Structures are given as C-alpha cells and as structure tokens.
Amino acid sequence: MSYLAKNYNRKKISFTRGKGSYLYTANRTKYLDFVQGIAVNSLGHANPKLVKAIREQSKKLWHVSNAFQIPEGEKLAKKICQKTFADYVIFQNSGAEATEAAIKVARRYFYSIGKPNKNRILCIKNSFHGRTIAAIYASGSKKMTEGFGPKIPGFDHINFCDTKPRFPNIRNKIKKNTAAIMVETILGEGGIKQIPDKCLKYLRKICNQKKILLILDEVQCGIGRSGNFFAFEQSKISPDIVPIAKGIGGGFPIGAVLMNKKVASGMTPGTHGSTFGGNPLAMAIGNSVIDTVSSKKFLNNVKKLSKYFFLKLNRLKEKYPNIIKEIRGRGFLVGIKLYSDQTKFIEKLMDNKLLTIRAAENVVRVLPPLNVKKKELDLALKIINKVCTELN
Ligand SMILES: *Cc1c(COP(=O)(O)O)cnc(C)c1O
C-alpha cells in the first residue's frame, strides 16, 4: 500500500545508495545508472566535491530570504554571465519555474517598452517545458493538457522541423502580438530531436527581423550535456532568454532564467520572486557544479567520450537494422530510436543492470553522468548489444 498518489508509473525498484555512475539497492545489487535523475546528476552520485560543498555550506547557512544580499548567488550568477551570453540571472528551484520565468521576462520586456499586447509565445508542438499550468499549454501536447482546462491562452505552435532550413508556416504563425519564440535547443522528452544549426540560425534571424525574442529552453540539454556548455553554442547564435535547471544543481533542485541586458530592463523590483530560489545552500552546490562542468578540459572530454559512444552505438544500429532505427542526440544526451515500442527494451536493459529512460517516438534515452568513464560506456554498450541479440 502506497500513500503516494498514482501520478507516476514507477518501476518496482528502489535504491539506497549511489556512487558515481552506479546505484545500489538495499541488497547491494549494482546498476549502471544512465538515467541520472533525468540529466540531473551531471557529476554522478555522491560526487566528493559536491558532498564537500553541501557539507561545508550546511554548517554555515542554509536559507535566507531574497530580501537580503546572498553572496553565494552573486558568485554563481557572475560565473554564469561571464561564461555565456547572459547579463543577468534570476534563480528558481526547478525547470518549469525557470521556463515560466522566461515567459514572464519576455512579456514584461514588451510591457516595459509600451507594447503590453505583444505577449504571445510561439512554441513547438509536443515539446516540453514543464508541468505547471502555463508550461503544459506552452508544450501544446494533448497528453499533458487533457483535463487541466480552461486552456491558458497566449501560446501558438509550429511543428518541429529538421529537414528544411525553415520551419514551415512560421512566418504566418508570428503575429503582430507575438513576443517570443520558445523552443528546446534539443527536444528531450520529445524524443531527443536536435534543431539543426541552420534552423536555429533561421530562428535567430526571423526573431531579429520581427523584433521578437528568442527563448532557448536548455533545462535538459544545457550545462555541458551536449558537449558544449550550452547546446546552442554550436550554431553560434545568441538567444535573449535561457531557462536552465536539471544539471546545474547536480542533484540539488536549482533552476534559473538567464537573460541579456535588453530584456532584463523590464524586471524591476517586485516583478518576480521566489522564496527558496537562490538560497545559500543551493548556490554553494551550483558554484561547485559549474566550476567543474564549465571547464574546457571537462567539456572536451564529454565531446571525446560521447563521440566514441555514438560511433559504437551506430555500429550497433548497423548490426541490428531491424531493431534500432536511429541514434539521436549530441554529447551525453543520447536517444536510441527503435522501430517498435521501447518498453520491453528498457525492461531488458534493466534486467541486465543498465538503467535508461523512455522519451517520445520509441526512443530509449541514455543519460550517463558527464564524468562517466570509458569502461562504463563499454559496459553499457555490451548490455545494449546483449539485449539487441535477445530481441533479434
Ligand atoms: C525537465 C524539463 C523541464 C521542467 O523541469 P522541472 O524541473 O521538471 O520542472 C522544462 N524544460 C525542459 C526542456 C525539460 O527537460
């Protein structure tokens, strides 16, 4: 009997301990964890540096109100801004809060320049921006919005596009009162689908032409996951607003919205806030995570090892052309797209002590920690190969 509501379809397994890439059950069964809390534990479980950071800060100060200066937050915001396009940061606690804050920043900017009707957000149909009331309508997915009406107005949708440089119909979808385009640079829940560089460049161009804002949701693909600090860096464009979360806390709940100077001008005192967002404990951990994941050496290693992983996964695709349809993604945001439903495949991987998680479109999502070892990748490949053999 569980007193937890039934809103999750949980596997019948629990863990008592984690170390690096591995999770352990109470009876010490060891699992290679390539879920990592869905791209959250960017440095694996119980990372010594993070343990030290949380331990030291926990003895000093956990939480103070944002009514006061928080030096740990100043420090983390400065690091983020010095490494990225951003000029300002607002800290939150989760991804959905960060995407909502992104929407608020965009709308408030147009309000502040005397265009309050410019408030519509154009998103990709069946994308994912979180589970709050506004975020589910931003995603435009029937599965997520069903039963949660009335519909929140203010969102329009285009279809995902990965073949043409332009999103079909996008010009018609940008209306007089469109404020921003908001997309995930790499769609995570939607099936690990990358928006190609040329399409991202096109989005930036059209936003400039129409004088609207570009919001890139990097909650899942950001913070080193793609092999760059941000996935959009590869296409050499600069967004206006970027919500982040997942990987930045290394397992501690942290979200943030990053913005450039222009749009930040609308966020005057009292316009937004969060009780927990940016507290000293969270910020101490965030500082520790970013010091590691933003280093060139670390990111180059992610690029190098993930390239190896993709190469080997593509070999498996060639070996099992009836099972694996496509290997998707970048860095350690990996999708194995199957020809049929992925449920059984994921179960069999788990039987063989490899944890993965589903995404849309028959995709098995593989999310190693960013500091995964080559021998752990090899073990995962061995297990994937074994399961393919069994299902062939
Ligand atoms: C996970 C995710 C969110 C929501 O994050 P939560 O912390 O679950 O609220 C938003 N956007 C993207 C792209 C995500 O992957």
Side-chain angles (χ1 to χ4, degrees):
M1 167 70 197
S2 170
Y3 291 91
L4 295 170
K6 307 272 185 265
N7 60 316
Y8 294 107
N9 191 3
R10 297 175 194 271
K11 303 241 179 300
K12 288 193 174 42
I13 189 169
S14 68
F15 305 97
T16 50
R17 205 166 64 80
K19 182 110 192 71
S21 300
Y22 292 95
L23 276 172
Y24 300 82
T25 63
N27 72 9
R28 301 220 177 93
T29 309
K30 184 178 172 184
Y31 285 81
L32 184 56
D33 179 15
F34 279 9
V35 179
Q36 292 291 334
I38 314 191
V40 164
N41 308 311
S42 38
L43 299 175
H45 297 283
N47 182 279
K49 272 192 198 159
L50 299 191
V51 171
K52 185 163 174 266
I54 199 169
R55 183 177 281 157
E56 286 182 359
Q57 186 60 39
S58 74
K59 286 186 247 173
K60 292 194 277 189
L61 182 63
W62 292 24
H63 179 85
V64 288
S65 164
N66 280 302
F68 306 104
Q69 304 284 326
I70 301 179
E72 296 82 4
E74 294 284 352
K75 209 166 127 188
L76 179 53
K78 183 174 174 186
K79 283 178 195 168
I80 292 171
C81 290
Q82 286 181 342
K83 285 172 202 306
T84 70
F85 78 98
D87 297 309
Y88 293 98
V89 179
I90 300 174
F91 288 109
Q92 307 280 154
N93 311 286
S94 68
E97 278 182 304
T99 55
E100 289 234 354
I103 294 165
K104 285 181 74 176
V105 169
R107 288 181 176 168
R108 182 75 194 183
Y109 165 70
F110 283 108
Y111 172 87
S112 76
I113 61 165
K115 297 180 176 170
N117 294 331
K118 226 170 157 54
N119 53 32
R120 298 191 73 83
I121 313 290
L122 184 56
C123 304
I124 290 178
K125 185 104 189 139
N126 295 329
S127 52
F128 188 84
H129 300 292
R131 297 290 199 146
T132 54
I133 288 279
I136 57 177
Y137 286 99
S139 304
S141 129
K142 182 157 178 271
K143 210 173 107 200
M144 279 196 283
T145 55
E146 200 164 39
F148 297 111
K151 183 177 175 179
I152 301 292
F155 298 99
D156 298 304
H157 294 96
I158 44 174
N159 288 325
F160 179 78
C161 150
D162 60 359
T163 47
K164 302 186 184 79
R166 283 147 201 260
F167 289 77
N169 280 336
I170 191 168
R171 283 186 178 272
N172 304 334
K173 294 281 185 167
I174 299 173
K175 298 173 185 157
K176 197 168 91 254
N177 50 9
T178 299
I181 296 175
M182 177 167 81
V183 299
E184 296 164 78
T185 315
I186 303 173
L187 281 75
E189 304 299 311
I192 317 292
K193 296 196 288 193
Q194 298 190 59
I195 298 182
D197 291 343
K198 57 181 189 234
C199 295
L200 268 186
K201 284 196 174 112
Y202 176 72
L203 288 182
R204 180 68 270 179
K205 197 172 115 191
I206 202 168
C207 285
N208 290 349
Q209 282 172 2
K210 303 270 182 185
K211 293 195 168 58
I212 60 175
L213 304 172
L214 181 61
I215 305 172
L216 294 178
D217 182 345
E218 294 247 353
V219 168
Q220 189 159 160
C221 61
I223 322 298
R225 185 58 49 189
S226 72
N228 287 111
F229 187 72
F230 280 131
F232 66 74
E233 286 170 23
Q234 180 175 284
S235 51
K236 301 191 166 51
I237 58 153
S238 191
D240 297 290
I241 305 171
V242 171
I244 61 170
K246 293 196 168 88
I248 184 69
F252 198 88
I254 303 178
V257 58
L258 283 48
M259 67 202 91
N260 62 25
K261 198 182 271 165
K262 179 176 98 174
V263 301
S265 62
M267 301 309 285
T268 49
T271 49
H272 190 58
S274 165
T275 299
F276 292 119
N279 83 13
L281 192 56
M283 295 297 99
I285 297 158
N287 272 297
S288 186
V289 171
I290 203 168
D291 287 344
T292 303
V293 302
S294 65
S295 97
K296 237 198 167 77
K297 195 171 154 220
F298 183 88
L299 291 171
N300 279 340
N301 196 52
V302 171
K303 279 187 190 140
K304 196 182 94 195
L305 274 186
S306 62
K307 206 168 151 191
Y308 167 78
F309 195 46
F310 270 87
L311 187 87
K312 294 285 183 173
L313 284 171
N314 273 306
R315 292 232 175 104
L316 290 180
K317 185 193 114 179
E318 284 156 26
K319 194 167 162 195
Y320 304 102
N322 302 322
I323 299 176
I324 301 175
K325 188 169 181 191
E326 191 187 347
I327 305 298
R328 290 175 167 179
R330 209 186 325 147
F332 286 130
L333 185 53
V334 184
I336 305 175
K337 184 175 161 69
L338 306 182
Y339 277 99
S340 56
D341 181 79
Q342 73 279 60
T343 311
K344 199 165 155 203
F345 198 92
I346 289 172
E347 265 169 27
K348 279 189 166 287
L349 291 175
M350 194 166 140
D351 291 343
N352 286 281
K353 311 291 180 282
L354 171 63
L355 303 175
T356 58
I357 193 157
R358 63 191 301 131
E361 303 188 349
N362 296 339
V363 167
V364 178
R365 226 179 329 172
V366 187
L367 304 165
L370 302 183
N371 56 0
V372 66
K373 298 189 177 78
K374 182 166 176 286
K375 65 169 196 263
E376 294 161 348
L377 295 174
D378 285 330
L379 175 59
L381 290 161
K382 202 173 136 196
I383 296 170
I384 296 165
N385 181 54
K386 179 164 178 258
V387 167
C388 286
T389 314
E390 285 169 20
L391 292 173
N392 214 4

